Amino acid sequence: MKDVFKTVEKYIPQTDEINATVSAKTVGWQLDHILNVVIVINEDIQQSNPSNYKAKFNYIKSLILLTGYIPRGKGKAPKTTRGTEEKYASDFLAEKLNKAKDAFNAIEKLPADFYFNHPLFGHMKRDTTKKFLKIHSKHHLKIIEDILK
């Protein structure tokens, strides 16, 4: 995730950029969403009880994890991960970036059997969660790249 966080930091000065043909959301919203997801997932995984883990096959989850690709426009961000700002100040996102880095480091330090409960894909153990976070973040970074073209 170090590469993801470096790229997020690189895009912070361009928070107000928008391209409605790519996304109705600004670069700032995309960055905030990436960071919110890391922070919220950390909060969830910290609360998990490994003895309650339930493995469940999910075809779409398996396909995303295998290919590293999330199709655009197919999912809807939960309220807890949606941006709330009209405009995103650079210092606001820089502070949130530091929180997200700390959150990801906390996830890495957890035992491997801790899990995140994804609203659609179900339980994902720590290492799968880390992989999902990277795929999800890169999905939104690609949207940002396309906004800025």
Side-chain angles (χ1 to χ4, degrees):
M1 284 290 287
K2 283 183 183 180
D3 58 329
V4 166
F5 292 137
K6 279 184 186 252
T7 306
V8 166
E9 188 171 27
K10 176 181 92 172
Y11 288 134
I12 288 176
Q14 297 167 293
T15 58
D16 294 335
E17 297 294 324
I18 191 163
N19 180 341
T21 61
V22 175
S23 173
K25 305 296 185 187
T26 64
V27 167
W29 186 95
Q30 300 288 342
L31 295 173
D32 190 44
H33 176 67
I34 290 167
L35 301 173
N36 284 340
V37 167
V38 175
I39 293 165
V40 168
I41 285 178
N42 175 54
E43 291 167 358
D44 188 68
I45 200 170
Q46 294 289 339
Q47 304 294 323
S48 70
N49 178 345
S51 64
N52 293 335
Y53 175 80
K54 292 182 180 87
K56 181 180 163 189
F57 179 77
N58 181 295
Y59 176 76
I60 302 214
K61 174 180 80 173
S62 298
L63 191 61
I64 288 170
L65 292 171
L66 181 67
T67 64
Y69 174 77
I70 299 173
R72 286 192 190 173
K74 300 297 180 195
K76 186 172 181 183
K79 285 183 183 180
T80 56
T81 66
R82 288 187 215 153
T84 58
E85 306 295 314
E86 289 294 319
K87 289 191 168 249
Y88 290 87
S90 294
D91 57 342
F92 171 82
L93 287 172
E95 185 178 318
K96 193 170 270 191
L97 174 59
N98 287 330
K99 287 180 186 176
K101 287 177 182 178
D102 290 343
F104 190 78
N105 288 336
I107 291 169
E108 286 192 306
K109 292 176 183 171
L110 288 172
D113 59 349
F114 273 56
Y115 65 91
F116 158 63
N117 187 20
H118 188 280
L120 298 174
F121 303 146
H123 294 175
M124 289 191 266
K125 288 192 178 180
R126 182 202 64 198
D127 291 345
T128 304
T129 297
K130 288 169 42 182
K131 183 175 183 176
F132 171 77
L133 282 170
K134 190 160 193 162
I135 292 167
H136 175 268
S137 298
K138 288 188 174 200
H139 166 76
H140 286 279
L141 290 173
K142 177 70 173 124
I143 293 170
I144 291 169
E145 289 172 18
D146 290 348
I147 288 171
L148 296 174
K149 280 185 183 174

